[in-house]
Amino acid sequence: MADVTTTTLIEKPLTVVADYVTDPGNAPEWYENITSIEWETDPPLQLGSRMRFVARFLGRTMRYTYEVAEYEPRIRLVMRTTAGPAMETTYEWEEAQYGTTRMTLRNRGGPALLSPLMARAMRRANTKDLAKLKRLLESR
């Protein structure tokens, strides 16, 4: 499996960053590859919540359902697929200096046979997505 961790500093308070990221409805705005998301359970996000995502990755349309496996508000969120390709996404936030937030995004999954290719593609996508998230939040 590919395992990619990417970190960025966002010049916004942790509450702003974590609250924005943990609203799945915002995902298509800052994730380049996510085209839509639909709740399977009622909002708000909590342990056991499920959402269906549609994304484009490596030229293919992917459909998958994520379930919230771990959730410590404004600290850590882990989602795992229950349908679609085997994936796990982890978000972590910690306060840095002067109202800045350190956000870590970790993605694990994909076919073992394609791990090196998947890891490179995931790292590029994660880096772009965190840069876009940083621009979006810092411009508000």
Side-chain angles (χ1 to χ4, degrees), residues 3-139:
D3 189 344
V4 175
T5 300
T6 311
T7 301
T8 193
L9 290 173
I10 300 173
E11 293 181 27
K12 286 290 183 178
L14 185 144
T15 56
V16 171
V17 177
D19 291 353
Y20 180 84
V21 171
T22 56
D23 179 348
N26 292 328
E29 185 176 17
W30 67 277
Y31 268 108
E32 183 174 308
N33 296 323
I34 294 177
T35 58
S36 68
I37 175 265
E38 182 180 326
W39 287 89
E40 283 190 359
T41 56
D42 291 330
L45 190 85
Q46 58 190 323
L47 192 62
S49 291
R50 288 185 314 282
M51 294 82 48
R52 283 190 297 271
F53 287 78
V54 177
R56 297 267 314 148
F57 188 67
L58 296 176
R60 295 181 12 192
T61 298
M62 298 175 14
R63 290 173 170 73
Y64 51 95
T65 301
Y66 263 133
E67 181 173 47
V68 175
E70 298 176 37
Y71 186 43
E72 295 176 70
R74 298 178 174 164
I75 297 171
R76 178 180 168 88
L77 167 64
V78 179
M79 299 186 300
R80 294 186 186 110
T81 53
T82 59
M87 288 293 297
E88 178 182 273
T89 298
T90 301
Y91 305 99
E92 294 179 317
W93 304 274
E94 60 181 315
E95 289 186 30
Q97 58 187 352
Y98 311 114
T100 299
T101 302
R102 177 175 293 106
M103 180 173 156
T104 301
L105 168 60
R106 180 181 183 196
N107 286 110
R108 297 184 328 138
L113 194 58
L114 300 176
S115 283
L117 172 64
M118 286 289 287
R120 282 192 300 278
M122 287 166 64
R123 186 171 315 285
R124 269 193 313 274
N126 287 358
T127 299
K128 282 180 164 181
D129 294 336
L130 286 181
K132 186 173 184 181
L133 176 65
K134 178 180 173 68
R135 280 192 311 275
L136 282 169
L137 292 180
E138 289 180 356
S139 69

